[in-house]
Amino acid sequence: MTALAFQQVDVFTAIPFKGNPVAVVLEGDALSSEQMQSIAAWTNLSETTFVCTPTDQRADYYLRIFTPKRELPFAGHPTIGSAHAVLRRGFKPPTAGRLVQECGKGLVDIKIDGERLLLALPEPEFREPTKSDLAAVADGLGVSAADVQRGRDNRCRTRLVHCPARER
C-alpha cells in the first residue's frame, strides 16, 4: 500500500479545527485489521474509522472504529463523523433521511436532518465489576472497597457507582 485517501472530519461543529476530529478511511475493505490498527496509531487521533461493506443486508455500510491502541465496538462521535464523510462522498441512502450503520454493537440508525445527523444509541451492556476493578476504583478515589456501592438511577436507566462522602 503506497497511498490511502482519508478525510479528517470535525465533529460537533461547522467551524474548521474546532470540533472533535476523526479520521475516516472510506475504502476499508482492502485493509487487514493490523493495517487498520497501524493507521489509527499513525493518525494518533482518539478514533480512526474504516468504512467497509456491510455484512447485514439492512445496513448501508459497516464501520470499524480504532483508537491508537485497540478496536472499539461503537463510539458516538466517530459514528457521526463517518456518516458525514459517507454522505459528503455522495452516498445516497436507500431510505431518504436515514442511514443504517453496522458496527461491533450491531445496527445503528442515523437520522439525516438537513446538515444535522442524529443517532439512536445502542442499548448499553452492564456487567458486575470484578474484585480487581472494584479495588482499582476505590484506590483511585482514596476510599476502601467497602465504601464503593452499586446503584441505579431509574430516571435515566443508568447504573452508578456510589461512594458516600466522609470526613478524613
Side-chain angles (χ1 to χ4, degrees), residues 18-95:
K18 295 292 184 182
N20 194 351
V22 61
V24 182
V25 176
L26 292 163
E27 302 291 335
D29 286 326
L31 300 169
S32 69
S33 295
E34 292 76 21
Q35 289 172 312
M36 290 178 187
Q37 186 63 70
S38 178
I39 292 165
W42 172 77
T43 68
N44 201 33
L45 295 172
S46 59
E47 289 94 7
T48 300
T49 65
F50 300 85
V51 179
C52 302
T53 303
T55 61
D56 187 314
Q57 66 184 11
R58 298 170 294 173
D60 296 312
Y61 58 91
Y62 188 96
L63 192 69
R64 295 189 65 187
I65 304 168
F66 288 79
T67 72
K69 299 284 185 192
R70 67 185 183 97
E71 186 170 6
L72 302 175
F74 172 81
H77 103 272
T79 293
I80 296 289
S82 299
H84 175 79
V86 165
L87 292 169
R88 183 166 60 188
R89 187 167 195 215
F91 180 76
K92 302 286 185 223
T95 303

Side-chain angles (χ1 to χ4, degrees), residues 1 48 73 99 108:
M1 173 175 46
T48 300
L99 276 174
V108 178

